[in-house]
Amino acid sequence: MDQERYLGASTPKLGFGFMRLPKFEDGSFDIEQVKAMVDRFMDAGMTYFDTAYVYDNGGSERALKEALVDRYPRDRFTIATKVNARVAESAADARQQLTTSLERTGAGYFDYYLLHAVQESNIGKYDEFGLWDFVREQKEAGTIRHWGFSFHGTPALLDELLTKHPDAEFVQLQINYADWEHPEVASRTVYEIARKHGKPVVIMEPVKGGMLANPIPRVQELLRAAKPEASFASWAIRYAASLDGVITVLSGMSNLEQIDDNLSFMRAFEPLSAEEQQVIRAAQDAFADMESIPCTACRYCTDGCPMHIPIPCIFAARNKQTVWGLDEHAKKDYEAAVGAEGAGGADACIACGQCEAACPQHIHIIDALRTCAAAFA
């Protein structure tokens, strides 16, 4: 691929992920804050918004309409959304998702349309439902401008898919400095495979679900010593955006403070210097020596849990215990999570495995829950 010319080469390198929007205590969106966030993002010259059919059971797409589409000219922004075969019961049901997404967003068309969270556990449904041909048909019809897929599988599967579907225009990958050499996520390897096939990349989870905005103590020390005025999130996002062939880096911003911080260093983005890259390598070494549960709180695991176990909350409590040594706080967090109405504790797991099939991080959730149950007994 021409390193200087590729799909999205001129796109601003900060994308607005509509997955973790601010909410009130009753679970409804703080739509006025979302509007203010969109305004600041647009005023800074940013353009890329990312949502999905399944985010907040459609609430994310509806919020996008209210905060963005109804308030700005359509040619001032680009929208990416996704079709999810895992929640579809038939090919017709899966295809209907595009129509529903268009209705929810009022977008008229989608600039980027993705097959969502493709991995070994669901690739059969994407093939069975004919969704690869579906997105090609919709591009030809003008309903979508560009198509690709977000990916959470093994490097071997990515290589196979890009060989089988060479007309895929881009790939969305989980890339962050903590996962660069992670054996399960394999950020470096999948990135290199995408580049080998000449595909530009949209980067998701650059801050690892917020974990890199508040990293482990040793990493905090390293980053503060190198650049005291920089936020921890800035290191993570700039690291991802410094890679070649990147369309944009998605940040799931949850409040005005986060968007202001992101814009402070991405409005006039500068790649990491050689010295800054050395600091990141030291941070990667620190993460490699740490034992934690790499949960990003995407909550894909909780949707079908028959025991209604708040898995991400339990894992967060366990990490607070093991990484930060805050045993009493961790126990209180655990008790609050499993004390909610209808929630099951870590010991309620029946090992059905649906959570592990849905987990983008490939966490051995059943074993981790057993460990948590013992730790918080």
Side-chain angles (χ1 to χ4, degrees):
M1 180 196 297
D2 186 327
Q3 298 292 317
E4 301 301 325
R5 299 179 62 188
Y6 58 89
L7 173 65
S10 61
T11 300
K13 294 299 175 258
L14 179 65
F16 194 153
F18 256 54
M19 185 179 184
R20 298 181 174 93
L21 298 175
K23 293 182 178 181
F24 294 115
E25 289 186 5
D26 65 0
S28 63
F29 289 121
D30 181 354
I31 197 66
E32 292 307 314
Q33 185 173 184
V34 177
K35 288 178 181 178
M37 293 167 69
V38 166
D39 291 343
R40 294 188 191 184
F41 189 78
M42 294 289 287
D43 288 346
M46 305 298 162
T47 60
Y48 194 106
F49 293 83
D50 174 87
T51 183
Y53 174 83
V54 297
Y55 289 172
D56 275 287
N57 295 315
S60 173
E61 290 184 331
R62 286 186 284 267
L64 191 71
K65 181 180 190 298
E66 187 171 353
L68 175 70
V69 179
D70 289 348
R71 300 173 62 241
Y72 286 91
R74 183 64 180 87
D75 60 359
R76 284 195 57 192
F77 55 84
T78 57
I79 296 178
T81 194
K82 312 174 188 76
V83 55
N84 193 303
R86 185 173 63 86
V87 301
E89 296 182 358
S90 66
D93 189 25
R95 293 174 180 230
Q96 177 62 32
Q97 290 183 22
L98 174 58
T99 302
T100 300
S101 292
L102 287 167
E103 292 171 351
R104 288 172 179 167
T105 62
Y109 62 91
F110 291 119
D111 304 272
Y112 301 91
Y113 198 64
L114 298 85
L115 282 64
H116 194 182
V118 175
Q119 55 191 297
E120 281 77 3
S121 63
N122 62 26
I123 185 61
K125 294 193 78 172
Y126 283 105
D127 291 342
E128 176 188 349
F129 294 161
L131 293 178
W132 303 96
D133 289 334
F134 175 65
V135 292
R136 294 182 179 103
E137 294 163 5
Q138 294 303 312
K139 180 182 178 180
E140 188 172 339
T143 312
I144 60 178
R145 300 288 173 84
H146 305 286
W147 72 271
F149 57 96
S150 63
F151 185 76
H152 289 289
T154 63
L157 178 60
L158 180 61
D159 195 33
E160 176 186 332
L161 291 176
L162 290 177
T163 300
K164 187 176 180 180
H165 305 288
D167 54 334
E169 297 175 83
F170 66 100
V171 185
Q172 185 164 305
L173 300 173
Q174 176 173 313
I175 294 177
N176 57 68
Y177 69 81
D179 287 331
W180 191 243
E181 299 291 354
H182 191 287
E184 299 290 344
V185 181
S187 287
R188 177 184 61 81
T189 307
V190 293
Y191 167 75
E192 290 176 351
I193 288 170
R195 299 294 288 152
K196 179 187 74 172
H197 284 271
K199 304 304 177 187
V201 174
V202 173
I203 292 179
M204 56 183 162
E205 300 290 0
V207 192
K208 199 171 173 62
M211 291 177 63
L212 301 185
N214 186 33
I216 60 175
R218 175 56 183 152
V219 171
Q220 290 195 18
E221 293 171 5
L222 290 165
L223 301 185
R224 281 194 180 122
K227 203 169 185 180
E229 75 283 3
S231 69
F232 300 131
S234 71
W235 285 91
I237 293 173
R238 288 181 59 226
Y239 172 84
S242 297
L243 294 168
D244 291 331
V246 171
I247 296 174
T248 199
V249 177
L250 302 177
S251 178
M253 296 171 279
S254 301
N255 53 50
L256 285 165
E257 291 74 22
Q258 289 177 8
I259 203 162
D260 285 343
D261 177 57
N262 283 190
L263 291 173
S264 72
F265 56 84
M266 290 301 289
R267 182 183 281 104
F269 165 65
E270 293 184 5
L272 292 181
S273 65
E275 293 77 12
E276 289 173 322
Q277 291 282 6
Q278 289 182 340
V279 175
I280 289 293
R281 283 192 284 275
Q284 289 170 327
D285 290 341
F287 273 113
D289 293 336
M290 178 197 71
E291 290 188 11
S292 69
I293 304 172
C295 174
T296 64
C298 68
R299 305 195 71 82
Y300 293 165
C301 59
T302 62
D303 291 343
C305 177
M307 307 309 291
H308 306 290
I309 301 171
I311 299 169
C313 298
I314 292 173
F315 288 170
R318 178 60 176 161
N319 285 340
K320 184 175 285 190
Q321 187 180 57
T322 59
V323 176
W324 295 90
L326 300 173
D327 193 58
E328 291 304 315
H329 286 88
K331 288 179 179 177
K332 289 179 180 178
D333 288 354
Y334 175 80
E335 290 168 0
V338 303
E341 184 177 354
D347 58 352
C349 176
I350 59 173
C352 67
Q354 77 80 31
C355 54
E356 294 190 356
C359 179
Q361 310 306 319
H362 308 288
I363 298 169
H364 299 295
I365 295 175
I366 296 170
D367 289 341
L369 284 174
R370 290 186 183 124
T371 300
C372 293
F376 294 118

